[in-house]
Amino acid sequence: MEADQSNITRAADLLQKLRGEIGKALVGQTAVVDQVIATLVASGHVLIEGVPGLGKTLLVRAMAQALQIRYGRVQFTPDLMPSDITGHAVLDSTTRELRVIRGPIFTNALLADEINRAPAKTQSALLEVMQEYQVTLEGQTLPLPKPFMVLATQNPLETEGTYPLPEAQLDRFLLKVLIDYPPADEEVAAVQRVTTNQTGDQLSLDGVKPCLSERAVLTLQQLAARQRVDEKVIEYAVAIVRATREWPGLAIGAGSRGAIALVRTARAIALMDGRDYVTPDDIKRIALPALRHRVGLSPDALMEGRKESDVLAAVVDSVAAPRV
């Protein structure tokens, strides 16, 4: 599909419809929903963090149902093994040959629920998958279907029974999205929806209808990849990333993959807004979720109780945006 304005407008309308379908299950959290949709359009993976009970899993389930694509879920636990995710080989008693049993990773959208409740050995099973979109089993390289997206949820590290994700794996997530406590009116609406004419606390997805096919998702990803990005906007993204490497309060700055994530996601944001070009505001809008998991606070900043998002907000404000 060519990236003319009519196709851009049609794509924006489809993405608005996707927002609406997700909203039938999840009350509020519009910024969070937009960031997850942007990750899908940018053909990336997303890490969603928040305390239990804020709708992380519900958001992913609602999005999966609104998409006409294959969906799998893995509940990460301390005893989960890498083969439980990727698959394993068994000896066929008839042919006496090894037969590969594919794991739940062979799907279009994988919910890695509470990913940081499994140890690093199991978490690392996703490294090849997220970077190269393939799995190696018994010497065989098996490609994954496209589109493919990992939607991982995690509890804050202060929560009992959690393990920090390896830095190499964190870097493979396009965005790290934070779900915070909702405003009072949204919380009232959520409680009312869950407790009206329903037994138990099961969150219903009955109203969510599929609105995007596998082919439509691939087309949207191709359109986003063709969005125009002025060289000054790319320089702006790089300047923000480079500033993190010298900023007081940050012991670890973002690498080049951070700047790539900014530009990729900004293209998706522009498409969602119905434009065929990226603005500096798109970069600024997505800077925190694109970079917060790629930096590390200094000991002094940790002792002061500062957060990555607060430090990054100061970094972004310090870099002058270009006029394009």
Side-chain angles (χ1 to χ4, degrees):
M1 183 185 290
E2 295 298 325
D4 58 48
Q5 190 55 48
S6 63
N7 287 331
I8 296 291
T9 302
R10 189 157 57 249
D13 290 342
L14 283 173
L15 292 170
Q16 181 60 42
K17 189 174 182 180
L18 177 60
R19 283 191 190 100
E21 292 300 324
I22 295 173
K24 293 178 181 178
L26 183 71
V27 176
Q29 303 287 5
T30 54
V32 171
V33 172
D34 280 354
Q35 289 167 17
V36 173
I37 293 176
T39 307
L40 171 72
V41 176
S43 188
H45 312 291
V46 63
L47 177 63
I48 308 171
E49 180 179 297
V51 298
L54 294 184
K56 301 185 298 295
T57 304
L58 177 64
L59 166 59
V60 176
R61 289 176 58 220
M63 182 168 174
Q65 185 155 318
L67 300 173
Q68 293 173 305
I69 59 178
R70 284 175 290 173
Y71 163 69
R73 175 176 177 174
V74 176
Q75 186 69 45
F76 278 64
T77 57
D79 60 347
L80 189 73
M81 299 297 292
S83 59
D84 295 329
I85 303 170
T86 59
H88 57 278
V90 297
L91 182 65
D92 191 312
S93 58
T94 304
T95 63
R96 309 302 297 175
E97 295 180 351
L98 286 176
R99 181 164 54 90
V100 171
I101 305 297
R102 299 190 177 201
I105 198 72
F106 290 90
T107 187
N108 294 118
L110 178 74
L111 166 56
D113 206 11
E114 296 188 297
I115 189 173
N116 62 336
R117 290 201 179 277
K121 178 182 178 181
T122 302
Q123 294 172 5
S124 63
L126 294 175
L127 287 175
E128 179 186 16
V129 170
M130 295 172 66
Q131 180 64 30
E132 301 176 34
Y133 296 87
Q134 66 182 30
V135 177
T136 302
L137 291 174
E138 298 298 327
Q140 297 184 47
T141 299
L142 306 174
L144 293 171
K146 289 187 178 181
F148 174 75
M149 180 183 187
V150 174
L151 302 105
T153 70
Q154 74 169 9
N155 297 311
L157 291 178
E158 294 79 10
T159 306
E160 185 178 355
T162 59
Y163 302 82
L165 269 64
E167 290 180 7
Q169 184 174 2
L170 279 173
D171 203 37
R172 282 164 170 77
F173 285 104
L174 189 69
L175 300 184
K176 180 182 178 182
V177 178
L178 301 184
I179 291 188
D180 205 350
Y181 293 107
D185 58 336
E186 291 183 3
E187 195 161 8
V188 169
V191 171
Q192 188 173 27
R193 179 179 295 184
V194 173
T195 57
T196 302
N197 299 323
Q198 287 194 179
T199 58
D201 59 358
Q202 178 63 40
L203 300 171
S204 175
L205 298 177
D206 292 344
V208 180
K209 293 182 172 52
C211 62
L212 282 182
S213 66
E214 178 181 317
R215 182 176 179 181
V217 172
L218 290 171
T219 300
L220 289 170
Q221 291 175 348
Q222 292 165 2
L223 277 174
R226 297 192 186 108
Q227 296 288 76
R228 292 185 289 117
V229 187
D230 190 276
E231 186 175 348
K232 291 181 180 179
V233 175
I234 295 178
E235 291 173 352
Y236 176 54
V238 172
I240 291 174
V241 168
R242 292 181 67 86
T244 65
R245 302 169 191 168
E246 302 173 352
W247 195 261
L250 292 179
I252 302 174
S256 297
R257 193 175 283 168
I260 294 170
L262 283 174
V263 174
R264 282 178 58 196
T265 316
R267 280 184 164 129
I269 292 291
L271 183 63
M272 292 166 64
D273 287 350
R275 290 179 278 107
D276 65 349
Y277 59 93
V278 174
T279 69
D281 282 343
D282 296 327
I283 299 289
K284 193 170 185 178
R285 175 176 164 187
I286 209 68
L288 267 59
L291 299 179
R292 61 166 59 102
H293 55 301
R294 306 178 198 273
V295 300
L297 294 174
S298 67
D300 289 344
L302 288 170
M303 289 180 63
E304 294 169 3
R306 301 171 71 185
K307 301 292 185 182
E308 288 88 349
S309 295
D310 298 330
V311 179
L312 281 171
V315 174
V316 174
D317 288 342
S318 73
V319 179
R323 294 183 179 181
V324 293

